[in-house]
Amino acid sequence: ICYFSAGSYENWRPDRDDFKSDMYGKAMEGWEGEYWLDIRKQTVKDVMIKRLDMAQQKGCDGVEPDNVDGYINDTGLPLTATEQLSYNRFLAQEAHTRGLSIGLKNDLDQLAELVADFDWLLNEECVEFNECQKLTTFINADKAVFGV
């Protein structure tokens, strides 16, 4: 499984020069050098397509896109739940086009809407954040749920 951030610009990644300042908003609290992406922009989607192509070329079986819940965070961008759904579905479709499985991470408020689009779910610290019950959406759909 290949990890990449689909919702943030990270100034240490090899493809950092593919991002322009109009493609991201506020810095992510607690993560130096990381900024929320404007997921509405085609230029952001184009970079994600390149990242998915790289995952396929490296022989990954699936991908774990991180930070796909900007609409509920203080991004400095007016992102909506509808725009987030559209972006997350875009990621899933592009992954599947490349024969990659894709896991959903972070966007627990939209699990019911996204369960059909994603192959599995990854959750960090559901006990600590009292989120474990939400994960049953994927379990009830006979999809794997990984807790880390």
Side-chain angles (χ1 to χ4, degrees), residues 95-111:
H96 291 145
T97 296
R98 289 160 181 75
L100 299 167
S101 77
I102 184 166
L104 182 62
K105 180 179 176 183
N106 306 118
D107 193 5
L108 297 184
D109 292 339
Q110 295 184 329
L111 288 181

Side-chain angles (χ1 to χ4, degrees), residues 51 59 61 71 98 126 138 142:
R51 288 180 173 186
D61 294 317
Y71 75 105
R98 289 160 181 75
C126 78
F138 268 65
D142 291 325

Side-chain angles (χ1 to χ4, degrees), residues 136-148:
T136 59
T137 302
F138 268 65
I139 294 168
N140 292 338
D142 291 325
K143 295 190 175 189
V145 173
F146 301 99
V148 294

Side-chain angles (χ1 to χ4, degrees), residues 39-40 70-72 77-87 110:
I39 60 168
R40 300 167 300 174
Y71 75 105
I72 60 169
L77 304 161
L79 305 177
T80 68
T82 300
E83 290 164 338
Q84 191 71 63
L85 277 173
S86 176
Y87 182 70
Q110 295 184 329

